[in-house]
């Protein structure tokens, strides 16, 4: 089995490839994620952190040494990744816990046994300081996003924050994205499937999903959140220059 050494961990490359980047970009993306969390939601070593879509531990590994008196929980729908993280990261850092949800997903878990709406996050009410998701809502439709947001509202402390990346579009952004085509995913979002929602590929609808800002504000409000800052525009479309964040970033606080 081919592995890649990342901060003392021999990570299976075939599992690494499921998280949106191989050995060539793994460390760079990990560093950018950490810096973005520090910058936008002020993670601290004594906080309780919850990551949705933790994958093979690209964020968990640096956070395991960053957290001193705090704790980390990562959840994912890819069982082999969760098992690897539990067997390796948790053994070195007992304050890091990993949970598998057997959610049926076209891309990553086609034989799953539950739906996203059946997920109940295994944390107490109002117990989490920060919740973060990198490129998870980019693969979800409105009803499932709202379910997750309601679970976040139940779980997060009154002064807690949510950090979530997404694709936020309007006509000008789409024009620029189609002109520049900066990513390897050919993000054109030509297919509107509902009000305020576009997908990139009709064959794989959840491969990339984008929303208007108005649609995001509607979903956020339904779940009891509000934007803490204006949308932090990522560099994916070419419409905005951002060397740290590829996707757009939403920072949410309970309303």
């Amino acid at each position: 089995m081919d592995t890649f050494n990342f901060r003392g961990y021999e990570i299976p490359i075939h599992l690494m490839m499921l998280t949106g980047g191989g050995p060539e970009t793994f460390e760079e993306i990990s560093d950018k994620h950490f810096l973005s969390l520090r910058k936008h939601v002020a993670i601290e070593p004594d906080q309780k952190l919850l990551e949705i879509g933790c994958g093979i531990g690209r964020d968990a590994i640096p956070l395991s040494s960053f957290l001193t008196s705090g704790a980390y929980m990562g959840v994912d729908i890819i069982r082999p990744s969760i098992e690897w993280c539990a067997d390796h990261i948790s053994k070195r850092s007992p304050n890091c816990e990993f949970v598998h949800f057997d959610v049926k997903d076209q891309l990553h878990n086609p034989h799953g046994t539950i739906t996203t709406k059946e997920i109940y996050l295994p944390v107490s009410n109002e117990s989490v300081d920060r919740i973060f998701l990198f490129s998870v809502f980019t693969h979800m439709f409105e009803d499932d996003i709202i379910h997750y947001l309601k679970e976040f509202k139940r779980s997060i402390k009154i002064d807690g924050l949510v950090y979530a990346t997404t694709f936020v579009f309007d006509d000008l952004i789409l024009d620029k994205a189609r002109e520049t085509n900066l990513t390897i995913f050919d993000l054109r979002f030509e297919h509107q499937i509902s009000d305020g929602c576009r997908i990139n590929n009709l064959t794989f609808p959840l491969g990339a999903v984008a929303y208007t800002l108005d649609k995001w504000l509607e979903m956020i409000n339904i779940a009891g959140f509000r934007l803490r800052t204006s949308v932090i525009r990522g560099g994916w479309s070419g419409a905005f220059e951002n060397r740290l964040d590829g996707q757009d970033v939403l920072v949410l606080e309970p309303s």
Side-chain angles (χ1 to χ4, degrees):
M1 179 176 62
D2 292 332
T3 63
F4 173 74
N5 186 282
F6 177 65
R7 304 193 183 185
Y9 290 89
E10 293 293 335
I11 302 177
I13 291 177
H14 73 283
L15 294 178
M16 183 183 294
M17 297 300 292
L18 298 177
T19 63
E24 300 81 7
T25 59
F26 195 84
E27 187 156 11
E28 176 187 1
I29 293 174
S30 177
D31 289 343
K32 285 185 175 181
H33 283 187
F34 183 82
L35 291 173
S36 194
L37 290 173
R38 288 285 281 165
K39 177 180 180 180
H40 297 316
V41 294
I43 57 170
E44 296 292 346
D46 61 348
Q47 290 175 338
K48 184 173 182 179
L49 309 180
L50 172 60
E51 180 176 16
I52 310 300
C54 65
I56 197 63
R58 181 168 54 194
D59 304 314
I61 289 172
L63 288 171
S64 68
S65 57
F66 171 76
L67 293 170
T68 52
S69 56
Y72 166 96
M73 176 183 288
V75 305
D76 206 286
I77 65 174
I78 303 174
R79 184 184 297 276
S81 296
I82 287 295
E83 290 175 346
W84 186 91
C85 289
D87 288 343
H88 294 81
I89 302 173
S90 293
K91 285 185 178 179
R92 294 193 200 179
S93 302
N95 63 335
C96 292
E97 180 182 359
F98 298 90
V99 177
H100 176 250
F101 286 118
D102 194 27
V103 174
K104 185 173 183 177
D105 177 80
Q106 182 185 30
L107 295 174
H108 296 119
N109 196 29
H111 304 296
T113 58
I114 66 172
T115 68
T116 297
K117 295 184 187 67
E118 296 175 79
I119 287 177
Y120 182 84
L121 296 173
V123 295
S124 302
N125 294 353
E126 299 183 5
S127 65
V128 180
D129 293 289
R130 301 288 187 267
I131 299 172
F132 58 96
L133 315 79
F134 289 99
S135 199
V136 174
F137 286 160
T138 54
H139 305 293
M140 296 176 66
F141 290 140
E142 180 178 347
D143 287 349
D144 288 340
I145 289 175
I146 290 173
H147 173 79
Y148 256 124
L149 290 173
K150 288 181 176 179
E151 270 294 278
F152 296 169
K153 181 65 187 306
R154 176 190 66 79
S155 305
I156 203 160
K157 295 179 180 178
I158 192 170
D159 59 348
L161 297 174
V162 175
Y163 172 110
T165 71
T166 181
F167 299 119
V168 179
F169 76 88
D170 58 27
D171 289 342
L172 293 177
I173 290 171
L174 289 182
D175 287 345
K176 192 66 174 179
R178 294 164 186 172
E179 172 193 338
T180 58
N181 198 20
L182 293 178
T183 78
I184 63 173
F185 306 108
D186 192 26
L187 295 175
R188 306 177 66 82
F189 294 111
E190 293 179 332
H191 311 289
Q192 180 167 330
I193 61 165
S194 63
D195 182 38
C197 177
R198 286 179 170 267
I199 61 173
N200 204 53
N201 188 315
L202 290 174
T203 304
F204 298 99
L206 295 177
V209 186
Y211 293 94
T212 62
L213 179 56
D214 284 345
K215 176 55 69 174
W216 263 115
L217 292 175
E218 178 186 321
M219 292 188 285
I220 291 165
N221 181 65
I222 289 172
F225 283 102
R226 63 190 174 205
L227 285 176
R228 188 170 192 249
T229 66
S230 57
V231 176
I232 301 162
R233 299 292 187 172
W236 67 274
S237 68
F240 307 94
E241 183 175 354
N242 189 328
R243 299 182 184 277
L244 184 58
D245 307 296
Q247 298 177 1
D248 302 310
V249 176
L250 307 176
V251 178
L252 312 179
E253 62 184 4
S255 57

